[in-house]
Amino acid sequence: MKRIHLLITIVAGWLSACFSHIYGMPPTEAAGDTITLAMVGDIMMGTTYPDTLLPYKDGAFLFRDTKQVLRRADIALGNLEGPLCDGGKSTKKDTLNNYAFRTPTSFAPLLRDAGFDFLSMANNHANDFGEEGILSTEQALHGQGIKYAGVKGRFEAAVIKRKGKRIGICAFGHNPYTLRHTDLQTVKRVILALQNRADIIVVSFHGGAEGRTRSHLPYGKEEFFKENRGSLRELAHYCIDLGADVVYGHGPHVVRCVEVYKGRFIAYSLGNFCTPYGISLKGISGQAPVVEIKINGEGQFLSGRIHSFVQRRGLGPRWDKNKGAARQMKMLSEADVPASSAAIDHQGNIRMKRR
């Protein structure tokens, strides 16, 4: 009898997948076959360079309001905007438009306690204190059991096992010391190599021009201070076409749109998440969403929710009862990716559109 029941379950699942593929119907959620991801943007918990700006109680309350969402996810991911190190010499020139960060290694346990499983190092601050800072960061994250990737010549990808699935995660940036997303051949090589190691592939990228006027997703290449920050629509779609299942971005310091493309989820920028000092938190720059999504065992998007937080200087992200991030991302998504297969409601829920 059990064998008959198992056979019926397998056939039903196969038929459902076939009809979903043929008729564009959304995939259904099966018990035990759902993986939850929680994704955030930039994290820089405090700095000791050039001045010491550290949060209250050494950051003990930074993630107070966000732990509930991050910890319940099967995998929580973000971007570590700067090294975890206690010394070294800054690689940045002391000019108006150059910023360098250095977060004490003693803050590393806060990331584990917050619920993070993976952090990208492919950004324009990972090298603020050179190789010493990169090695210190890797050691600090490894000590907390947190995976990382993105620095050229170091770790190109990580694999995390959850619910019988191998989730492969890679990270790209726009700086010479990162795996560059502006080099599509590098992107292709990394993703194709990861297919041999993982069942589901997640891609993180750091790109796009910066600032409160950059919240809309443009077509074509973006530049910032004459630096190529990538053609992000092309990049995201290229990754999915290669076999990626989830793509999420950060870098502009503001949130951008989200879309579902070929059944796969894309977030073009998750903005700032926990940057209590050193980065502007005015207006929309203070929005700090946690985007929680559910995918099935094949990586197809099932549903999601934008949890809205707003940053307070020196305190970190706090619940936003006005749902500012969700409302902003809903507006941007409707304006910038109208062909998306998903829609966002006023509560921040992301659901597949009915056809």
Side-chain angles (χ1 to χ4, degrees), residues 199-329:
D199 304 301
I200 294 169
I201 295 176
V202 179
V203 175
S204 164
F205 69 83
H206 198 71
E210 300 179 20
R212 288 189 292 274
T213 63
R214 308 293 186 148
S215 58
H216 282 284
L217 178 68
Y219 288 91
K221 184 176 72 174
E222 296 185 59
E223 290 187 353
F224 190 67
F225 287 115
K226 297 183 180 180
E227 183 179 46
N228 180 5
R229 295 293 183 90
S231 178
L232 302 183
R233 289 178 189 261
E234 178 187 5
L235 170 68
H237 288 190
Y238 182 72
C239 290
I240 298 238
D241 291 341
L242 283 173
D245 299 294
V246 177
V247 179
Y248 74 98
H250 31 79
H253 296 296
V254 287
V255 299
R256 286 183 169 182
C257 57
V258 304
E259 74 170 324
V260 173
Y261 167 77
K262 294 186 176 180
R264 267 60 183 178
F265 182 81
I266 302 169
Y268 284 97
S269 175
L270 298 178
N272 301 319
F273 176 63
C274 184
T275 54
Y277 297 108
I279 294 175
S280 174
L281 302 179
K282 294 180 180 178
I284 60 175
S285 299
Q287 293 172 346
V290 177
V291 175
E292 181 183 29
I293 66 168
K294 293 183 178 181
I295 59 176
N296 66 15
E298 301 301 317
Q300 294 171 298
F301 174 79
L302 298 172
S303 63
R305 184 164 189 177
I306 301 167
H307 299 273
S308 296
F309 298 88
V310 62
Q311 287 204 69
R312 305 298 183 196
R313 180 175 168 82
L315 297 177
R318 295 293 182 258
W319 282 109
D320 179 12
K321 64 180 181 180
N322 296 317
K323 296 181 172 59
R327 290 188 291 107
Q328 176 78 351
M329 294 174 80

